[in-house]
């Protein structure tokens, strides 16, 4: 039986009580929508609202006397320090697509349903307009909404142990605590959950990138060029589309492999089944190292002996739809990417009979 994407609906086992509100930082245009939403959630719906601490440090929020009583009801957290993964019933994002990617990064396991309002620059993943937010939020709280389960990638980076200068409190030199850091004898292992893509590139080097790609343990190709993108269907409309790949609906179970400026006329993007394990390593004769990033974050160098293992995660991101998964996706293609926009061809003029 093949499931109809339109049959995926939001269902609450019990009424939601806590909501995480994610607001784009350093954007003055979002201050008023953020305040209106928080007042509505706390006073009209009696919800427990979680907000990142740095959002409330904005002077326009900190100095607002009217907003003060509302702000005192908030629960605050800090990224990389506080674990809120088991305390949130659903998430509301205010901003562009980056806010949804950020929400994904906060939950390395199961992700609560995400309602994303289009208040940014692109808005491919944010289908809701803020004008009628009260009725739309109420529908979500009542469980009257469609869902699309956006698959994520589970990524494991294994690095050969190298001598480093000791750092205090387990924080690296750039001040960032590694995600899910584990130690093995002579190895360092980091794990990430990725919504859009894993990008392996040549970094600052002027030489071609030279990396081997394995699929379930078998060498399938060597990438010579600027790098390679491994993306989810959600990420197929992001960097992969810019690199010439096809666009895949998020309900399709797949992983995309897209080369970046390959030095080959026949290296076309390919789609492999979800569930296979990809492994990327520097080729033994590579002239330079490579660099990897995860949804544009946590960028780090990959040296000889290091490896990147990628497979489909068992923790997708449930994204709440404005209408349904198919209508939302095609509307985003038309509105954001102007897909197949062309001046219509004129028809033949019908000659009048004499």
């Amino acid at each position: 039986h093949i499931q109809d994407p339109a049959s995926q609906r939001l269902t609450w086992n019990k009424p939601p009580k806590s909501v995480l509100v994610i607001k784009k930082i350093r954007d003055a245009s979002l201050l008023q929508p953020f305040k209106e939403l928080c007042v509505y959630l706390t006073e009209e719906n009696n919800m427990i609202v979680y907000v990142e601490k740095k959002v409330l440090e904005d002077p326009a929020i900190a100095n607002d006397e009217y907003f003060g009583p509302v702000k005192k009801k908030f629960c605050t957290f800090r990224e990389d320090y506080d674990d809120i993964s088991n305390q949130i019933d659903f998430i509301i994002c205010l901003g562009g697509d980056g806010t949804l990617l950020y929400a994904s990064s906060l939950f390395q396991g199961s992700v609560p349903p995400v309602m994303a309002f289009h208040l940014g620059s692109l808005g491919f993943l944010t289908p809701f307009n803020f004008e009628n937010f009260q009725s739309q939020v109420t529908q979500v709280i009542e469980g009257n909404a469609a869902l699309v389960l956006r698959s994520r990638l589970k990524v494991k980076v294994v690095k050969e142990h190298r001598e480093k200068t000791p750092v205090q409190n387990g924080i690296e030199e750039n001040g960032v605590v590694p995600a899910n850091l584990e130690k093995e004898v002579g190895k360092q292992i980091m794990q990430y959950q990725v919504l859009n893509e894993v990008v392996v590139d040549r970094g600052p080097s002027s030489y071609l990138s030279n990396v081997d790609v394995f699929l379930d343990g078998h060498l399938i190709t060597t990438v010579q060029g600027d790098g390679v993108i491994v993306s989810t269907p959600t990420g197929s409309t992001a960097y992969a589309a810019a690199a010439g790949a096809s666009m895949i609906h998020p309900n399709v179970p797949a992983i995309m492999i897209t080369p970046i400026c390959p030095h080959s006329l026949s290296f076309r993007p390919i789609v492999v089944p979800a569930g296979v394990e990809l492994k990327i390593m520097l080729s033994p004769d590579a002239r330079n190292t490579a660099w990897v990033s995860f949804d544009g974050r946590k960028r780090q160098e990959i040296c000889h002996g290091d490896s990147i293992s990628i497979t489909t995660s068992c923790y997708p991101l449930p994204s709440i739809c404005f209408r349904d998964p198919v209508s939302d996706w095609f509307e985003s293609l038309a509105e954001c990417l102007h897909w197949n926009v062309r001046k219509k061809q004129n028809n033949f003029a019908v000659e009048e009979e004499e």
Side-chain angles (χ1 to χ4, degrees), residues 203-218:
S205 173
S206 59
Y207 293 114
L208 288 174
S209 160
N210 201 328
V211 295
D212 293 337
V213 179
F214 299 83
L215 193 149
D216 287 341
H218 302 284

Side-chain angles (χ1 to χ4, degrees), residues 119-267:
L119 292 163
S121 54
L122 185 59
F124 197 94
L125 306 177
T126 51
F128 289 92
N129 292 318
F130 196 75
E131 297 168 0
N132 303 315
F133 78 92
Q134 294 97 334
S135 61
Q136 293 169 342
V137 170
T138 299
Q139 284 190 330
V140 170
I141 293 173
E142 293 174 352
N144 183 21
L147 275 181
V148 57
L149 295 178
R150 298 186 178 275
S151 65
R152 298 197 293 175
L153 298 175
K154 182 176 75 172
V155 187
K156 183 171 76 170
V157 180
V158 180
K159 291 189 173 184
E160 297 291 336
H161 181 68
R162 298 174 185 87
E163 292 297 325
K164 290 184 66 174
T165 54
V167 291
Q168 296 180 351
N169 301 327
I171 299 177
E172 290 189 341
E173 295 165 1
N174 61 359
V176 176
V177 179
N180 297 337
L181 184 65
E182 299 177 13
K183 289 280 186 177
E184 283 187 4
V185 179
K187 291 185 178 181
Q188 183 185 40
I189 301 174
M190 289 163 286
Q191 295 188 7
Y192 305 94
Q193 297 283 331
V194 176
L195 179 60
N196 259 358
E197 74 272 299
V198 178
V199 177
V200 180
D201 61 61
R202 60 192 175 98
S205 173
S206 59
Y207 293 114
L208 288 174
S209 160
N210 201 328
V211 295
D212 293 337
V213 179
F214 299 83
L215 193 149
D216 287 341
H218 302 284
L219 177 66
I220 57 171
T221 193
T222 297
V223 179
Q224 293 189 98
D226 280 355
V228 64
I229 304 164
V230 179
S231 62
T232 63
T234 295
S236 70
T237 50
Y239 193 0
S246 294
M247 295 178 287
I248 303 177
H249 189 277
N251 276 111
V252 178
I255 299 175
M256 289 193 72
I257 304 171
T258 307
I260 308 171
C261 297
H263 201 232
S264 165
L265 297 177
S266 58
F267 196 167

Side-chain angles (χ1 to χ4, degrees), residues 78-143:
R78 295 173 299 168
E79 183 191 8
D80 291 329
Y81 286 91
D82 302 315
D83 183 12
I84 59 169
S85 56
N86 295 321
Q87 301 168 37
I88 305 298
D89 291 329
F90 74 104
I91 305 169
I92 297 178
C93 293
L94 302 177
D97 293 347
T99 57
L100 191 70
L101 294 172
Y102 180 65
S104 171
S105 72
L106 293 175
F107 294 85
Q108 294 297 301
S110 180
V111 189
V114 183
M115 182 182 193
F117 284 94
H118 171 35
L119 292 163
S121 54
L122 185 59
F124 197 94
L125 306 177
T126 51
F128 289 92
N129 292 318
F130 196 75
E131 297 168 0
N132 303 315
F133 78 92
Q134 294 97 334
S135 61
Q136 293 169 342
V137 170
T138 299
Q139 284 190 330
V140 170
I141 293 173
E142 293 174 352

Side-chain angles (χ1 to χ4, degrees), residues 14-30:
K14 57 182 179 178
K17 294 295 183 184
S18 59
V19 56
L20 167 62
V21 178
I22 296 178
K23 172 190 160 297
K24 186 179 178 183
I25 304 295
R26 295 184 297 275
D27 191 335
S29 67
L30 297 183

Side-chain angles (χ1 to χ4, degrees), residues 309-328:
S309 297
I310 305 168
T311 190
T312 303
S313 170
C314 57
Y315 299 111
L317 184 141
S319 181
I320 298 172
C321 301
F322 179 66
R323 289 191 183 87
D324 61 76
V326 174
S327 299
D328 284 13

